[in-house]
Amino acid sequence: MDWADWVQQVSEIKTQLFSMITSEFKLIANVKEEVPKLETKFRTIQAVLNDAEKRRVKEEAMKLWLDKLKDVSNQMKSVLDKWNTAAKTVEDNEKKDEEEEAATGTAKRRKMMCGLKTSQCGSHSELHSDLVCKAVEF
């Protein structure tokens, strides 16, 4: 392999990495935009389910539809809980890092793009992808 081939391969790898990083940032931004919308829809669905429970619906078709709506509501709650837990973890880690930095005077920044350390997050893009897909699905 000569120098020109090596430079070409490095350039291709750089382009691919840039694309991956850009996609990750867009994914995170999309989730942050979708969470408030999802929370609003979740509260609306909860209100509909509460009203239906008070009325004690007797029609079978309506009961089936409400069961499906309840399933969707549970899925939405799960997605929102995951997001809130991840956001809380990031916030806690940032506070901890700030405290450590203030105490020691050195920055301890081993965070990934999403703000979660590998040991806490595992596959951060998998979490974000799941949240984005679920939010868009709802």
Side-chain angles (χ1 to χ4, degrees):
M1 174 184 292
D2 67 358
W3 181 254
D5 290 338
W6 186 82
V7 169
Q8 178 63 31
Q9 286 183 341
V10 168
S11 178
E12 289 173 10
I13 291 170
K14 179 187 80 165
T15 301
Q16 290 173 351
L17 284 173
F18 181 76
S19 176
M20 289 170 44
I21 290 168
T22 302
S23 295
E24 185 67 21
F25 280 122
K26 286 179 183 176
L27 191 63
I28 292 167
N30 288 341
V31 170
K32 287 181 180 179
E33 291 172 7
E34 291 298 321
V35 167
K37 294 176 191 174
L38 189 59
E39 287 173 336
T40 299
K41 289 177 183 178
F42 175 72
R43 286 191 301 272
T44 301
I45 289 172
Q46 287 300 111
V48 169
L49 290 171
N50 289 338
D51 288 348
E53 188 176 312
K54 288 177 187 174
R55 292 180 186 166
R56 301 180 189 230
V57 176
K58 298 197 190 288
E59 297 88 10
E60 283 301 313
M62 186 60 83
K63 285 182 182 180
L64 290 173
W65 183 80
L66 289 169
D67 285 344
K68 288 180 184 179
L69 191 60
K70 194 174 209 173
D71 288 343
V72 168
S73 175
N74 290 336
Q75 291 174 6
M76 291 172 82
K77 184 176 183 336
S78 175
V79 168
L80 290 169
D81 287 347
K82 284 179 185 178
W83 174 258
N84 290 330
T85 299
K88 178 75 171 125
T89 300
V90 169
E91 185 180 311
D92 291 348
N93 287 338
E94 287 174 352
K95 276 185 189 175
K96 182 180 174 188
D97 285 350
E98 288 172 7
E99 290 169 0
E100 288 176 0
E101 189 174 325
T104 64
T106 37
K108 295 189 178 183
R109 303 280 180 207
R110 284 180 249 144
K111 294 180 191 177
M112 298 174 71
M113 283 179 275
C114 71
L116 298 177
K117 295 180 182 174
T118 307
S119 61
Q120 296 161 330
C121 185
S123 175
H124 67 286
S125 55
E126 179 182 319
L127 173 65
H128 294 305
S129 296
D130 182 49
L131 292 174
V132 169
C133 290
K134 292 288 185 185
V136 169
E137 183 179 308
F138 296 125

